[in-house]
Amino acid sequence: KIINLKSQFREIKGTTKVENQKDKEKNIRNKIKSYIIHLPQVDRSKQSAERVYEEGRKFGYDTVLWNGVHKNDSLHLLHDLNMKIDGSWGGGILANWVGCFLSHYSLWKRSVIENERLMILEHDVVFDDSIEIPEFDGVLNIGKPLWGNWWESEADGIHVRDISKCEKPHHHDVTWDDEYCLCNRDWLRGAHAYVVTPEVSEQLVRIANTKGIRPADTFINSEVRVADYLPYPIWQEQRFSMIINPAHGEEWYDIRRENFNDYEDGDEVWN
């Protein structure tokens, strides 16, 4: 049930394929494989991903554990792939979010190489429902965004994100500045659960290779076709973060700490 990290790196470069998972179970209803990005070297990530694996199968998803890119390897791999960081991006812990991005990137590459749709999950998601994944020729977001509420008044089904009528420009990062459009539809607001086709995966890979990279959720934006499936069947628990550092005094951060007694981030998780 675990994809080997060395094979994954080879696959990023397009030189080999990883064998398909053989442990089929009778209750699997979705034929799309659901890849759970995790770091087996980090206890919180490993334990959480194993929970997601088991819960996903109970909900009928064909879950597979996928070894992510460790922060200690991320910048070397970025260099080996001859990729660059988008110069407009300056936030986050560099090696950590680069590793996260390359983990997603490796699965876009897999989608292209295998010529198949696949679901990409992060290691701390929670399943609310089992759905038959509908066809959509782009990125289909099935994870509840980490903030915003535009979807609450929308009917069930697929909703294509359209920002063409927005009167203000959009910011590439988190902002509450009303100089920018605050519609919260221009990028994912959390890349914890989404489905890609080989065609949109190829687009994402090409954009990364030509324009540079930034955190995965901000990278998946209006440059490609994006839609949401409502109601969202998956959400992110956020009991820990391997990307951010402590931000004591920030309202969102203090609330997260209050909600979970075992919350950890930064070096707390990695140690």
Side-chain angles (χ1 to χ4, degrees):
K1 68 181 181 180
I2 300 178
I3 300 295
N4 181 269
L5 181 61
K6 188 174 182 181
S7 297
Q8 171 199 318
F9 280 1
R10 289 175 180 166
E11 183 177 341
I12 291 176
K13 299 178 181 180
T15 59
T16 191
K17 296 181 181 180
V18 179
E19 290 299 316
N20 287 334
Q21 177 184 353
K22 296 179 180 179
D23 60 333
K24 298 293 183 182
E25 296 182 9
K26 294 181 180 179
N27 70 326
I28 298 300
R29 295 184 293 278
N30 275 297
K31 300 304 180 184
I32 299 176
K33 286 194 179 297
S34 306
Y35 291 90
I36 306 164
I37 297 171
H38 80 306
L39 293 177
Q41 313 95 318
V42 180
D43 288 343
R44 287 296 295 265
S45 178
K46 180 181 178 181
Q47 293 165 7
S48 185
E50 289 174 349
R51 171 191 59 78
V52 174
Y53 175 88
E54 297 297 339
E55 289 183 3
R57 294 205 152 237
K58 291 177 183 178
F59 275 87
Y61 296 98
D62 191 2
T63 48
V64 180
L65 292 176
W66 181 261
N67 289 351
V69 178
H70 195 282
K71 67 175 183 177
N72 293 345
D73 302 318
S74 63
L75 299 182
H76 295 293
L77 181 57
L78 189 72
H79 179 268
D80 290 347
L81 294 172
N82 197 29
M83 296 172 69
K84 62 184 180 182
I85 294 170
D86 184 331
S88 66
W89 182 262
I93 307 173
L94 182 64
N96 299 29
W97 72 253
V98 169
C100 178
F101 176 90
L102 290 176
S103 302
H104 286 261
Y105 177 87
S106 69
L107 284 167
W108 304 337
K109 289 285 288 186
R110 180 169 177 80
S111 174
V112 173
I113 292 169
E114 297 291 336
N115 192 32
E116 64 180 8
R117 285 200 306 161
L118 52 86
M119 183 190 300
I120 298 175
L121 303 172
E122 294 188 336
H123 51 191
D124 56 350
V125 298
V126 177
F127 298 90
D128 269 348
D129 196 7
S130 176
I131 63 170
E132 294 292 335
I133 305 298
E135 297 283 345
F136 178 72
D137 60 343
V139 175
L140 182 63
N141 181 45
I142 55 175
K144 183 179 178 180
L146 298 181
W147 66 92
N149 60 5
W150 63 264
W151 59 87
E152 293 180 357
S153 60
E154 302 287 354
D156 293 353
I158 293 177
H159 293 265
V160 178
R161 296 196 182 192
D162 180 9
I163 62 172
S164 62
K165 297 180 181 178
C166 295
E167 297 179 354
K168 296 181 179 180
H170 296 86
H171 199 282
H172 63 265
D173 191 6
V174 180
T175 183
W176 311 114
D177 188 341
D178 60 12
E179 175 185 348
Y180 296 95
C181 181
L182 303 178
C183 69
N184 293 322
R185 298 177 190 242
D186 48 325
W187 45 272
L188 283 194
R189 271 67 178 174
H192 42 276
Y194 61 97
V195 178
V196 291
T197 63
E199 293 77 15
V200 79
S201 293
E202 188 170 20
Q203 287 181 270
L204 292 168
V205 167
R206 183 171 61 251
I207 293 169
N209 290 337
T210 57
K211 295 187 177 182
I213 74 169
R214 58 176 60 179
D217 62 338
T218 68
F219 183 86
I220 301 174
N221 57 34
S222 56
E223 287 195 65
V224 298
R225 199 159 185 252
V226 179
D228 295 77
Y229 182 81
L230 304 178
Y232 297 111
I234 298 171
W235 53 282
Q236 190 173 41
E237 191 172 42
Q238 292 189 292
R239 284 184 177 270
F240 62 96
S241 173
M242 302 177 71
I243 295 178
I244 67 170
N245 267 331
H248 298 288
E250 296 282 347
E251 182 179 6
W252 64 269
Y253 181 82
D254 292 341
I255 290 174
R256 189 180 297 183
R257 281 279 184 182
E258 291 172 4
N259 287 341
F260 300 112
N261 292 330
D262 60 345
Y263 179 81
E264 292 180 319
D265 55 29
D267 291 339
E268 294 175 321
V269 183
W270 291 94
N271 290 337

